[in-house]
Amino acid sequence: MLVLRSALTRALASRTLAPQMCSSFATGPRQYDGIFYEFRSYYLKPSKMNEFLENFEKNAHLRTAHSELVGYWSVEFGGRMNTVFHIWKYDNFAHRTEVRKALAKDKEWQEQFLIPNLALIDKQESEITYLVPWCKLEKPPKEGVYELATFQMKPGGPALWGDAFKRAVHAHVNLGYTKLVGVFHTEYGALNRVHVLWWNESADSRAAGRHKSHEDPRVVAAVRESVSYLVSQQNMLLIPASFSPLK
């Protein structure tokens, strides 16, 4: 019995002291401070894009009085046509709940924008994301265009593919091929999904930088490592709205 107890004690001790698999990409620190970003996509009815954007611009102050708007864009390439994409920042889930309740009670917002414009929307989607710990939200130096690159990674989470993904992103940034705005990891939505928001001066400068990066062996090596964990990817070219904080 003593031998059995001793063996069991050693087994439990080794399990307790075993190093935990972790990654610099894990979202823990961002989850601890609570701040998250909601990605919202509105698919508008054909020919209604301009009308919707004009109506929102007139009433944007009513919405931003309740929570912070990070950016507001229309999809130019790579996604469904007549789509607007916007990012909202919240301190935590309780904050978002308070905001949604306040909006529901805000008669001015409801009557001047929401109710009249619901008929223009065909479909809505929402994702909750955290900024990864090694990235902070950056503001570009001037107006330009944005690229949202979405990567569906293999199951296993950042502990499996986070470091390789980080090296691939930094290879592009450190060599000056594009400017990073933020890297987001989905908490609610498709799991193991990562969104990378890039900024470029124009669609042409983005194309030139992309072609050069594909010929750079340092970028190719970093990307090749992360690709082994990749399931699929998609990118969209985004044009900022006139009222978007990120231009």
Side-chain angles (χ1 to χ4, degrees):
M1 176 66 74
L2 208 50
V3 173
L4 179 60
R5 181 179 299 172
S6 178
L8 182 59
T9 300
R10 287 196 300 273
L12 290 174
S14 64
R15 179 178 297 181
T16 302
L17 297 175
Q20 297 298 307
M21 211 175 171
C22 61
S23 167
S24 59
F25 192 75
T27 56
R30 287 296 183 264
Q31 292 172 336
Y32 297 151
D33 68 23
I35 294 174
F36 66 82
Y37 299 83
E38 183 176 10
F39 285 19
R40 296 180 73 90
S41 297
Y42 293 173
Y43 305 101
L44 305 176
K45 294 181 178 179
S47 77
K48 298 299 182 181
M49 171 73 80
N50 289 339
E51 181 181 352
F52 183 88
L53 290 175
E54 289 172 3
N55 291 342
F56 188 86
E57 183 174 15
K58 293 176 185 177
N59 297 283
H61 64 285
L62 300 176
R63 178 60 184 84
T64 56
H66 294 280
S67 63
E68 181 181 345
L69 174 64
V70 174
Y72 209 107
W73 301 267
S74 60
V75 176
E76 184 72 7
F77 303 127
R80 179 171 164 176
M81 297 180 69
N82 301 301
T83 299
V84 293
F85 170 74
H86 33 125
I87 301 176
W88 299 86
K89 180 181 178 181
Y90 295 97
D91 296 334
N92 48 47
F93 288 100
H95 178 214
R96 184 184 182 278
T97 299
E98 292 172 0
V99 169
R100 302 309 297 180
K101 288 181 178 179
L103 286 170
K105 296 177 181 178
D106 188 331
K107 290 185 177 180
E108 197 174 6
W109 166 252
Q110 294 283 330
E111 294 174 0
Q112 292 190 29
F113 178 79
L114 188 62
I115 295 174
N117 288 281
L118 280 177
L120 307 183
I121 302 174
D122 185 48
K123 180 182 177 182
Q124 296 172 288
E125 290 183 354
S126 170
E127 283 184 287
I128 300 299
T129 71
Y130 289 100
L131 270 175
V132 300
W134 46 267
C135 170
K136 63 179 181 178
L137 200 63
E138 299 285 355
K139 188 171 183 178
K142 57 183 178 180
E143 294 186 17
V145 299
Y146 293 74
E147 178 184 4
L148 183 68
T150 299
F151 302 87
Q152 186 64 49
M153 310 302 289
K154 290 182 179 179
L160 175 66
W161 38 258
D163 288 330
F165 194 94
K166 177 182 177 181
R167 285 190 287 272
V169 169
H170 281 175
H172 286 83
V173 175
N174 294 339
L175 295 169
Y177 291 118
T178 185
K179 183 172 178 60
L180 180 65
V181 178
V183 181
F184 305 83
H185 185 211
T186 299
E187 179 73 7
Y188 286 99
L191 297 180
N192 299 299
R193 176 177 288 178
V194 187
H195 299 284
V196 183
L197 186 61
W198 303 101
W199 174 90
N200 289 279
E201 288 190 33
S202 66
D204 287 323
S205 65
R206 179 262 177 197
R210 183 174 175 82
H211 292 156
K212 290 179 181 178
S213 69
H214 285 178
E215 298 173 353
D216 190 322
R218 296 164 294 181
V219 175
V220 172
V223 170
R224 183 179 291 121
E225 182 185 9
S226 65
V227 163
S228 63
Y229 301 108
L230 184 64
V231 176
S232 65
Q233 67 184 88
Q234 179 186 1
N235 65 339
M236 298 189 298
L237 186 72
L238 306 174
I239 306 299
S242 59
F243 51 84
S244 175
L246 288 179
K247 298 294 188 191

